[in-house]
Every structure is written in structure tokens, then in C-alpha cells.
Amino acid sequence: MSEKKKKWRKFRHRVVKALAYAFFYPYSVMRYGIHVESMKRPGKQPYLLLSNHQTAFDQFFVGMIYRGPVYYVASEDLFSNGFVSSLLRYAVAPIPIRKQTTDIRSVMNCIKVAKEGGTIAIAPEGNRTFSGRTEYIKPSIVGLVRVLKLPVAFIRIEGGYGVQPRWSDVVRKGKMRAYVSRILTPEEAARLTDDELLQLICSELTVNDFEQEGIYRHKKLAEYLERVFYVCPDCGFSVLRSERDTVTCTKCGKKIRYLPDRTFQGVGFDFPLHNALEWYDFQSDYVNSFNLTADCSVPLFEDRASYSEVILYQKKKILAKTVELKLYGDRITLDFAAEHIEYPFRSLDAVTVLGRNKLNIYFQDHVFQFKGDKRFNAVKYVNFYHRYRNLQEGNEHGKERDQKSSSGVFGRIGYVHH
């Protein structure tokens, strides 16, 4: 049979889904404290499932809502892990998308799955939230909704930032909810303008977890907050260190406690930021008002990390087990052995964070990945890159590029696996 005639959907996907559901449903309830409200679907109707993205387990929550096989759109990192990737392709056949590029093949694969009667799941943010608030949703999702002509089920996941924030290694005791907030028929979508449809999608999927009350308990509530925060409200750019429920600025020595209600409390002083969302916005504003290009002779941050090339849809090739990684206002440099390599921001196509704190840079058709220790902060590299590009494009105080700059038919779409 020719490649063109091969079916994407396989009977084994239904078997795998049934077995996975039997295991993951009770596991999710016990571990995540989640209440999942399953869809009451008529017959064998396929859907386009759109959800916000809060935890590393979201794809399983989506799968519990829709009881049949689900074909997830997933980033190239998932498909570049050798045997594990091959096993996933065989078992559940996720739809690959190459981030930061115009991936027509991914669109065609989605159309193929839809025509075969398959249900497709996408997180239009493309990234788990670092702040507790839904990230930017790229307008290109509107085009996909129109071309697939499937009913759209909007899935809201709430409480996930309390139970498992992206920067943490632990799952806290608390409550979550996953449910369908609305179903949009193709006929209803056709009557909306592109702007109206985008506004509807954003409205249904925008979740601010700090608008939800909840208590989330664990003895290590603050550990690894330094994966996302690197700006101290008192002393600016800094390095933070966390332990148990407390994070300390190594520059000024002030300690901040992370409480079970997800608020911050200064130890012996009044901390001006109420929660992680306020700190995240403060940090973004600080970077977007800072002239990173004023003096590019001294690095602002230094890290150590492994250095690999991602061979797309195949494997990851380790180039160096440890490199000295330096972040300047206009470039990233690395030194290892006798090598010195520079990646000027002006030459990079994109800089992204995968999982909790892996860093990907896209350079001349190559994808390079850096993986530091558990405390490695990859977010600052992304923020500095976008700040530099803002300055170069004359958008001196703009925040939009930080969210909108990624190119591609989907933009930053998919379930980014960790």
C-alpha cells in the first residue's frame, strides 16, 4: 500500500486508549485530586479539542474527557527520542509539528486525521503556563478551526497551577477540575468573523488560576521557583535559591515564603508582590524596560549545561556534556574544551523553553538544546532574546514579541511534552 493510502487511525489506538483510561483515571484522581467531567458525545462524532495547558499531565485529562482515541498535536522534541518516540508513534500516533516553522505537513496530517473521523487535541498556547495565567493564543488557530470543519470542544483545566506549577518537581495536595465549557459547531463558527472566532477561543481558554480559591499543601512548595524568576524586586537581575517553602535572593539575602494559598510572604519584611502572576508580570516589565544592548561586553548571567543537537524526528546528539553558557544583552555564547561559539540574537530564528527548564535555540535550520541542572533558568534566555528583537524592531517598550514572534502555520501549538 502506498504511503499516501495508509490510514492514520488504527484499531490498536482504541485498544491502547481503553487500557490507558483504566489506569490513568484512578491514578489522576488520587495523585492530582482532579474532577474530570467526561463528554457526552453523540455516536462517533469526532471533535477538535482545544484546551489550556497547566500541567505535565494535561493530555491525559483531555483523554479522560473524550472517551475515544485522541490524536494529539505534539512538538518535534517528543519525536526526537529514538525508541521511545517510535513506541509512542505506534501506540497513539500523535501528530508532529515542527515548532517555529511553517509546517504545512502538520496541517495536512490534521486534515487527514479529521477526514478519517479522528478526534484531534491541541493546546493553542503551545506552552505550559509559568505564571498561572493562560499564555498567548496565536490567531493561526482560527484557520485550523475553519479548515478542519469539526465541532470544537473547549476544555478548561483549572487548579493545575496550584497542584503542579511548571517550575516545580512535586505534585501538591489540592483540587483540580477539567471540563468542557462549550461546544462550537462548524455552522456557528462559519457565522463568525476571524476576529470574533479568535476572541471566542481566547475567552473560553483563558484561565487565571489566581481567580480560583484553593489550598495546596506540600513541604517543598517553593522549590525551584528559580527556574522562572531571576529578577528581585529590590535588586534587579539576580540568582535565586530555593529550599522547601522559601526562596532566597543571593544578592540581597531577602527570603520569601511561598504559602499554601499560593501567595508570597516576606520573611521579616513586606514583600510587594502578592503571587507568582504578579511577580511574573513585574519581571516581564523589568526586562522590557531594560536596555540590554547598552553594554554587551559583560555577561549578565552565566550557567553550565549540556549541549545537544536535536535531529528532528530521530534523536538528540550530544555535542558536549558540559559547556559554559553565557547570556549577554545581544547574544548567547558557549565555551567547552577549546571551542568558543556565539549565537547572536539577530541570527536566531527562535529561543524557547521546553518542559520545566530545557532551552532550545533555532539557528540556520538547526535546533540546539541546552539542559542545565535542576536550578537552571531557561526563561531568561527567552526573555532577553525577545527584548533584543523588540529593540531592533523599534518596539522599545513592547511586550508583544515575547508572545507573538514565533512563526508557523500553528505558531506555538501542541502538547509540549516534558
Side-chain angles (χ1 to χ4, degrees):
M1 183 180 292
S2 69
E3 191 71 25
K4 185 177 180 180
K5 293 182 179 179
K6 283 185 178 179
K7 295 287 188 182
W8 196 282
R9 297 180 70 207
K10 307 287 186 183
F11 175 75
R12 65 174 177 266
H13 302 154
R14 185 171 296 277
V15 175
V16 170
K17 174 60 184 291
L19 293 173
Y21 183 89
F23 171 77
F24 283 114
Y25 191 94
Y27 173 83
S28 299
V29 172
M30 288 188 295
R31 183 162 173 78
Y32 288 85
I34 192 164
H35 174 65
V36 177
E37 300 174 19
S38 298
M39 289 178 65
K40 296 178 175 62
R41 63 189 185 103
K44 297 181 180 180
Q45 172 69 58
Y47 286 86
L48 174 61
L49 308 177
L50 300 183
S51 73
N52 61 307
H53 200 1
Q54 291 192 336
T55 79
F57 226 64
D58 287 352
Q59 60 270 24
F60 298 105
F61 303 148
V62 170
M64 286 184 278
I65 287 176
Y66 184 87
R67 294 292 297 272
V70 177
Y71 297 92
Y72 301 92
V73 175
S75 72
E76 73 270 8
D77 196 62
L78 180 68
F79 297 89
S80 305
N81 291 302
F83 173 75
V84 173
S85 297
S86 298
L87 183 61
L88 285 171
R89 286 194 196 97
Y90 178 83
V92 294
I95 301 168
I97 180 170
R98 183 174 177 179
K99 288 165 67 91
Q100 316 303 333
T101 64
T102 302
D103 200 342
I104 297 297
R105 184 175 65 169
S106 293
V107 177
M108 299 307 295
N109 285 336
C110 285
I111 293 172
K112 178 180 176 65
V113 172
K115 285 183 175 179
E116 292 179 9
T119 287
I120 299 166
I122 299 172
E125 297 168 83
N127 261 315
R128 286 173 63 189
T129 175
F130 270 115
S131 68
R133 177 184 57 207
T134 299
E135 298 289 339
Y136 176 76
I137 294 175
K138 196 171 177 67
S140 54
I141 188 62
V142 170
L144 188 66
V145 170
R146 296 208 187 283
V147 75
L148 293 182
K149 295 183 173 61
L150 293 173
V152 179
F154 295 102
I155 296 175
R156 289 174 65 89
I157 300 172
E158 299 171 351
Y161 193 81
V163 171
Q164 189 190 42
R166 183 175 180 178
W167 43 265
S168 177
D169 279 354
V170 300
V171 177
R172 297 100 193 281
K173 288 187 179 299
K175 297 296 183 182
M176 288 184 64
R177 183 188 179 200
Y179 63 99
V180 175
S181 63
R182 175 173 178 171
I183 292 177
L184 180 73
T185 68
E187 294 75 22
E188 289 173 320
R191 290 194 290 269
L192 299 175
T193 66
D194 286 354
D195 286 344
E196 290 171 338
L197 182 52
L198 178 62
Q199 185 178 8
L200 173 63
I201 293 170
C202 292
S203 174
E204 292 295 332
L205 298 184
T206 296
V207 173
N208 178 353
D209 245 26
F210 292 101
E211 294 175 351
Q212 317 284 333
E213 292 185 359
I215 299 295
Y216 303 89
R217 301 188 184 281
H218 198 282
K219 63 182 180 181
K220 297 180 179 180
L221 284 176
E223 285 200 1
Y224 304 127
L225 266 165
E226 59 266 47
R227 288 172 174 168
V228 61
F229 296 120
Y230 58 92
V231 174
C232 170
D234 278 356
C235 48
F237 293 134
S238 182
V239 175
L240 305 178
R241 284 290 180 267
S242 62
E243 185 177 0
R244 296 177 70 86
D245 67 346
T246 304
V247 62
T248 303
C249 174
T250 61
K251 203 169 180 180
C252 66
K254 289 188 174 179
K255 299 178 182 293
I256 304 100
R257 184 166 288 119
Y258 188 88
L259 304 177
D261 64 357
R262 297 163 300 164
T263 60
F264 291 121
Q265 180 185 77
V267 179
F269 75 106
D270 291 329
F271 188 62
L273 304 174
H274 185 64
N275 55 42
L277 178 56
E278 288 188 12
W279 197 343
Y280 190 83
D281 286 342
F282 170 84
Q283 179 169 276
S284 296
D285 289 341
Y286 186 89
V287 174
N288 283 313
S289 63
F290 193 88
N291 187 0
L292 295 177
T293 60
D295 181 4
C296 294
S297 62
V298 178
L300 292 165
F301 289 95
E302 299 183 30
D303 293 292
R304 294 169 65 87
S306 63
Y307 174 44
S308 303
E309 181 172 4
V310 180
I311 311 300
L312 294 175
Y313 312 122
Q314 296 182 39
K315 62 180 181 179
K316 295 174 187 176
K317 181 173 69 174
I318 295 179
L319 303 177
K321 290 185 177 180
T322 305
V323 300
E324 298 288 338
L325 198 60
K326 296 180 181 179
L327 177 59
Y328 294 81
D330 64 346
R331 67 195 185 276
I332 298 170
T333 70
L334 47 146
D335 294 278
F336 60 100
E339 296 280 343
H340 175 77
I341 299 174
E342 298 199 354
Y343 293 113
F345 287 152
R346 67 176 182 275
S347 302
L348 297 179
D349 296 319
V351 180
T352 63
V353 181
L354 278 78
R356 296 180 179 90
N357 64 339
K358 289 185 291 186
L359 176 69
N360 270 21
I361 65 173
Y362 296 74
F363 177 71
Q364 296 180 353
D365 294 326
H366 295 276
V367 181
F368 298 107
Q369 186 170 104
F370 300 90
K371 187 175 181 181
D373 64 13
K374 283 182 171 290
R375 301 182 186 277
F376 177 61
N377 183 307
V379 171
K380 62 182 180 283
Y381 290 85
V382 177
N383 293 163
F384 280 31
Y385 167 73
H386 289 301
R387 174 58 178 159
Y388 174 87
R389 296 298 293 266
N390 271 332
L391 290 172
Q392 296 303 302
E393 293 167 9
N395 187 18
E396 185 173 351
H397 298 290
K399 302 178 184 179
E400 295 304 302
R401 167 166 258 285
D402 191 21
Q403 298 176 321
K404 294 184 179 179
S405 65
S406 42
S407 61
V409 173
F410 285 149
R412 297 166 70 171
I413 280 182
Y415 282 88
V416 183
H417 292 261
H418 313 282

